[in-house]
Amino acid sequence: MTSLEFTSQVQKISLTLRPAAMNLTRDADDAKDLVQETLLKALLNKDKFKAGTNLKAWLYTIMRNTFINNYNKITKRSSNIDSTEYFQYFNTDQNYITHNGATSDFVVRDINEAIAGLGTDYRTPFMMYYIGYKYMEIAEKLQIPIGTVKNRIHIARKELKSALQVYAPVGASAADTSETVED
């Protein structure tokens, strides 16, 4: 197959790649990027294509592998645990900001002390969940069952509510502020 024939065939098939890319990415712009990256890889690696094989299947395989590789890069990039990330979001609640900052300093200090008072088994999953990890990601990262992760986060929440009861709305008791474990 000549280079011109190969390019022509790839161009014809490229129209059928878009729906599959949408199925993978669930986003129109990401789907366009995925198709473009697939076509680029196909054209750069046309020497690896063996005449007589299914070109459409070859392109779909390139697209699927590209999607998986990009997904893995994104998840690995966002899965680093840095303890400095744990505390950077605490001072963002507008309810505790005053003109001189003293009240918010006390609140942040009390929250940090309450979190530091949690046992490591409870603090680590709680903080991972707080910064955005899903239950399954926490379970995989810590190599513990997902039920244990949910339980530890629930217990950490209860302990923090108890330790920070002084900041509960006026008239609210511990029973009023209890929450259920989310899935």
Side-chain angles (χ1 to χ4, degrees):
M1 180 182 295
T2 68
S3 190
L4 186 59
E5 290 172 340
F6 180 83
T7 304
S8 174
Q9 295 264 337
V10 167
Q11 193 173 18
K12 287 178 189 173
I13 296 172
S14 69
L15 299 174
T16 65
L17 293 175
R18 183 99 187 270
M22 273 297 290
N23 207 10
L24 290 170
T25 62
R26 307 276 188 225
D27 181 71
D29 292 332
D30 289 342
K32 287 178 187 176
D33 292 344
L34 182 59
V35 169
Q36 186 176 13
E37 193 172 348
T38 300
L39 295 176
L40 178 65
K41 286 181 178 182
L43 293 173
L44 290 174
N45 294 297
K46 65 184 169 203
D47 56 315
K48 295 180 182 173
F49 177 74
K50 295 179 182 154
T53 59
N54 187 343
L55 180 60
K56 190 174 183 179
W58 188 68
L59 290 172
Y60 276 100
T61 302
I62 292 172
M63 184 170 59
R64 185 194 46 158
N65 290 342
T66 301
F67 173 77
I68 291 169
N69 289 340
N70 289 341
Y71 177 80
N72 287 339
K73 283 180 193 173
I74 290 168
T75 56
K76 282 184 182 176
R77 195 176 313 139
S78 66
S79 66
N80 293 335
I81 301 172
D82 184 9
S83 62
T84 58
E85 291 178 23
Y86 289 170
F87 302 110
Q88 72 186 11
Y89 299 106
F90 285 129
N91 202 11
T92 61
D93 191 339
Q94 295 298 318
N95 296 329
Y96 297 114
I97 295 178
T98 61
H99 294 288
N100 66 6
T103 303
S104 64
D105 289 343
F106 286 122
V107 172
V108 171
R109 189 186 69 220
D110 288 348
I111 291 171
N112 289 338
E113 286 175 3
I115 290 172
L118 292 172
T120 308
D121 287 344
Y122 299 106
R123 182 177 53 243
T124 302
F126 174 79
M127 292 309 301
M128 289 176 73
Y129 182 76
Y130 180 76
I131 62 174
Y133 284 87
K134 303 289 184 218
Y135 290 126
M136 189 59 98
E137 294 171 324
I138 297 168
E140 289 173 4
K141 192 74 172 173
L142 299 178
Q143 297 178 343
I144 57 177
I146 192 166
T148 303
V149 169
K150 290 179 180 182
N151 186 42
R152 289 181 182 177
I153 292 171
H154 179 73
I155 291 171
R157 285 178 180 163
K158 284 176 62 176
E159 288 184 22
L160 290 174
K161 283 179 193 173
S162 175
L164 300 170
Q165 186 64 34
V166 67
Y167 297 106
V170 176
S173 67
D176 295 338
T177 59
S178 67
E179 44 178 275
T180 59
V181 177
E182 301 171 6
D183 286 329

